[in-house]
Each structure stands twice: as C-alpha cells, then as structure tokens.
Amino acid sequence: MATFPSISPTYGMRKTSSPRIRTTSFGDGYEFRALFGLPLTQDPKVYDLTFNVSETDADVIEGFLRSRVNDQASFTFTPPEEGSSQTGTYSQSTTTSTITITNHGLAIGDVVTIDYTSGSATDGTFAIATAVDQNTFTVTASDSATNSGNVTVTLSGAGQYVCQSWTKSIPYNNRATLNCTFREVFEP
C-alpha cells in the first residue's frame, strides 16, 4: 500500500463528514434513523486540501496522484492534527481491559493503538468495545489475564484515501498551488 509523500498541506483545510444514515418515515410523522454499514465505515471523511509548495514538491504530489488514476488505487494518508495521544490507567480482567482517561472523547468503534506502559498486558491496535462514560472505555484483549497499570492510547488519524480530482496552478516562478480532494475509502 502506497503512502502519500511526507509533504504537509497548508492550513485552511476543510473536512467534511457524511455519516451514512438510513431514514424511514411513517405516515403518522414518526421517523426512524439508523447508521448504515459496519461501525468503522459509517462516517467517511472528505478532505479539501491545499498545498502551497515548490514546483518540485508539486510535481512529486502530482506524480504520486497520477500514478493511482488508472486503477484508482488507494493510499495511506494522515490528515494534519488528526492523530492524538492520551495517558491514563487500565485494569484488565479476563479479556476485558477497562481504560480510564479523563474526558477521552473516544467512541465505540474508534480504532486506537494501546501501549501498556506498566503491567504485563499486551500492546496492540484495538477497536473500542464500549464507552462506559466520558472517562472510561473498554477494549477486548487477545489474551485472558489480570493486569493493571498505566497506559498510553493513540487515536490514529491515518486512513485509506483516493484522490479523484486536483488542480494545479503556478502563481509565480518555482512555486505551485495544488488543490486536492481526498475521499476516505474502506478496503480489506
């Protein structure tokens, strides 16, 4: 899987969320709404990015994107400021690891990388199983054990994206502006 070149977009990006919701309206005015799809695919993101870079960097970006046009191959991209790390404590009983972090801001289905910094729990990447409250959530460990200690939890903003259109302008010598739209895709 290809990774987007390590060239950062300029500030002012736009992020669009479009949760996949199915709505059924009944004759009496009652309405039923439900998220559609697997938990990780229910809210794909679209990023409108601007790269104000040298012509050389613009050529690198454009070459990377052009090489994926024919087969619409996706690539790995981490939007700026989308990843975050938090520290807290954990307690594991059997395969349920309960993690406490004040105001963690995470939701069921979020995929996190967990580094157990003390105790003997096994580090890894996990989907949040339950969000007990704003300070506590659980994940399911691969091994059954009884552990406790400190933990670092990282929410990665990296995902798989395609870019179906972009524009390039050259405002003056040796500078270029690329406007790109990256759409999140979910692939096996």
Side-chain angles (χ1 to χ4, degrees):
M1 183 67 54
T3 300
F4 188 78
S6 59
I7 301 170
S8 297
T10 56
Y11 284 99
M13 74 175 184
R14 188 175 99 194
K15 174 181 170 181
T16 305
S17 294
S18 300
R20 295 179 179 173
I21 299 173
R22 298 294 187 246
T23 304
T24 302
S25 297
F26 299 97
D28 61 358
Y30 180 78
E31 186 175 272
F32 176 75
R33 293 170 304 283
L35 286 172
F36 182 73
L38 299 172
L40 298 177
T41 66
Q42 293 173 345
D43 189 15
K45 308 292 186 245
V46 175
Y47 290 90
D48 293 317
L49 304 167
T50 300
F51 296 87
N52 290 317
V53 293
S54 68
E55 262 190 87
T56 303
D57 283 349
D59 290 342
V60 168
I61 293 170
E62 193 170 24
F64 178 85
L65 296 175
R66 193 178 306 114
S67 70
R68 276 143 195 81
V69 169
N70 288 341
D71 56 5
Q72 269 304 290
S74 65
F75 53 89
T76 303
F77 175 71
T78 303
E81 307 302 324
E82 288 294 296
S84 65
S85 289
Q86 303 176 66
T87 58
T89 60
Y90 79 96
S91 173
Q92 180 181 349
S93 176
T94 65
T95 59
T96 300
S97 184
T98 303
I99 299 172
T100 303
I101 298 173
T102 304
N103 295 319
H104 56 72
L106 301 171
I108 295 171
D110 283 349
V111 176
V112 294
T113 301
I114 298 180
D115 177 16
Y116 294 99
T117 55
S118 64
S120 58
T122 304
D123 299 344
T125 300
F126 305 90
I128 294 178
T130 60
V132 178
D133 58 34
Q134 65 184 7
N135 300 318
T136 309
F137 63 90
T138 66
V139 297
T140 303
S142 56
D143 299 325
S144 182
T146 301
N147 289 306
S148 64
N150 298 317
V151 65
T152 299
V153 177
T154 303
L155 175 64
S156 173
Q160 296 307 115
Y161 293 85
V162 294
C163 180
Q164 295 172 309
S165 66
W166 65 90
T167 60
K168 177 181 178 181
S169 61
I170 302 173
Y172 52 92
N173 193 25
N174 293 323
R175 294 302 295 172
T177 300
L178 277 163
N179 293 303
C180 306
T181 300
F182 288 7
R183 180 177 56 85
E184 188 175 22
V185 295
F186 302 97
E187 301 172 334

